[in-house]
Amino acid sequence: MSPSEIGITHNALGLLDIPISDPPPPYPSPELAQAKPRLCSIHPRGDIAQTRMPAQSLLPAHSPTPSFPSAKISTMTLTVDIFEALSDEHLAQLGADGQARNGPHCIPGLHKRALVRYFRPMGRKAYHAALFHLMVVNFPFALIAWTYLFVFTLTGTTLLITLPLGALLCFLDLLGARAFARGELALQTKFHGPLAYPPPYPHKPIFQRTRSPDREPSAAEIAATGVQYETSFYKNAYAMFTDATTYQALFYFLVIKPGITLCISMVLVVVVPVSYVLILPAPLMLRFVRRLGIWQANVAVEGLYYQVT
């Protein structure tokens, strides 16, 4: 067969023109054509799945970019799997003890425990006791104590020039201050706590003191009372007039307690009814009232029981 019969001709330079039926280069190398790469995709359970991609995706960068539907599907699958894995990991909620717990029912349980803990003061006696004292008992008691001590202090010091009458009024004034101090300490320690000053708080005598240790009590006194009390009116009156805690009680009931009680009562009269009507802020209000009560109880104990030097 001659060259002209098979389509081979000579060009102007005398070279042979051979027809080419293969596609133009570049061609993928045999190694790349045989390679079957794998792409790792993350699944929600944390395991790694192998996804095969076509070998055509490894063509050189200068080759024409073909359309690879399988590559697009694999990329979308990888993205969806990653987001599903992240969402499943973040569904693990913290329990009440702060440790991680997995499960589909963690979020409702956590919300329920948070609500129960938030509304816990509604069923606690200590919170309602503090509110009862500050709203019902505190203001009338402070008003009675302030009125009594103000009247007797003013009249006693004014009429002190007339010794019998002025001295009597001053005696009743100091006696009332010590009696109100004992009542105030009993109320504060009953409705509020724990306080900064550890109990117990033994009752200070209102008027009659214990007997001095330098004098031996009689057998009848020990058998009758078991406590050595001073029987001299003069010594008891002198001890009351010279005791520093007596004048601390006067200062507390005339100066400190009126301002604290008035401010607290005005705030609670406005806040408490609104909180109970709205229900939701009621537990927060009860926590605030209890802390406020503990604070003013510490002020009372410090001013009435401990001697300021």
Side-chain angles (χ1 to χ4, degrees):
M1 182 178 294
S2 62
S4 60
E5 293 178 357
I6 61 177
I8 300 175
T9 59
H10 293 274
N11 52 15
L13 299 177
L15 299 178
L16 295 177
D17 289 336
I18 301 175
I20 299 174
S21 59
D22 294 334
Y27 299 102
S29 63
E31 291 80 3
L32 295 178
Q34 294 178 1
K36 296 180 180 180
R38 296 178 179 181
L39 181 64
C40 296
S41 61
I42 302 175
H43 287 271
R45 294 178 300 176
D47 53 353
I48 300 176
Q50 305 292 338
T51 304
R52 297 179 181 270
M53 294 186 64
Q56 297 176 357
S57 61
L58 299 176
L59 291 176
H62 58 273
S63 63
T65 304
S67 176
F68 295 144
S70 60
K72 293 181 180 180
I73 295 175
S74 299
T75 305
M76 294 174 62
T77 305
L78 175 62
T79 306
V80 172
D81 291 343
I82 290 175
F83 279 101
E84 288 179 358
L86 291 177
S87 61
D88 289 341
E89 291 176 0
H90 286 83
L91 283 178
Q93 301 294 332
L94 293 177
D97 54 354
Q99 298 179 354
R101 299 176 182 178
N102 296 323
H105 302 290
C106 287
I107 292 179
L110 181 62
H111 289 175
K112 184 177 179 180
R113 287 191 295 269
L115 290 176
V116 170
R117 186 174 182 180
Y118 176 74
F119 285 98
R120 187 178 299 170
M122 301 293 289
R124 295 293 182 89
K125 182 181 178 181
Y127 294 91
H128 295 283
L131 179 62
F132 175 78
H133 174 255
L134 294 180
M135 283 203 68
V136 180
V137 180
N138 196 36
F139 185 81
F141 183 83
L143 181 61
I144 295 173
W146 183 85
T147 304
Y148 177 90
L149 296 178
F150 179 78
V151 171
F152 277 90
T153 301
L154 182 61
T155 56
T157 54
T158 303
L159 299 176
L160 194 58
I161 193 172
T162 59
L163 283 178
L165 184 59
L168 178 61
L169 293 178
C170 289
F171 174 80
L172 296 177
D173 183 32
L174 299 183
L175 192 66
R178 297 185 68 87
F180 282 120
R182 177 180 288 190
E184 177 74 358
L185 287 175
L187 291 175
Q188 297 291 354
T189 55
K190 179 178 178 59
F191 290 103
H192 305 283
L195 303 181
Y197 303 94
Y201 308 107
H203 295 303
K204 291 184 178 294
I206 297 177
F207 178 71
Q208 191 176 21
R209 274 26 182 201
T210 56
R211 189 182 299 275
S212 301
D214 56 350
R215 178 181 175 182
E216 294 294 334
S218 62
E221 292 176 349
I222 298 177
T225 61
V227 182
Q228 306 174 18
Y229 287 109
E230 181 62 55
T231 57
S232 173
F233 178 82
Y234 174 78
K235 290 185 177 181
N236 288 325
Y238 180 81
M240 184 182 67
F241 272 90
T242 56
D243 191 357
T245 57
T246 303
Y247 302 97
Q248 288 180 201
L250 277 177
F251 180 77
Y252 172 80
F253 285 109
L254 292 177
V255 179
I256 297 178
K257 187 172 179 61
I260 295 177
T261 304
L262 186 61
C263 294
I264 291 177
S265 300
M266 291 175 61
V267 172
L268 296 185
V269 166
V270 176
V271 173
V272 172
V274 176
S275 300
Y276 275 118
V277 169
L278 297 179
I279 299 176
L280 189 60
L284 186 61
M285 178 271 300
L286 289 175
R287 289 185 173 93
F288 168 74
V289 168
R290 188 182 182 189
R291 293 192 178 187
L292 190 62
I294 292 175
W295 171 78
Q296 60 90 35
N298 287 327
V299 174
V301 172
E302 182 180 3
L304 298 176
Y305 188 80
Y306 292 96
Q307 182 175 351
V308 179
T309 56

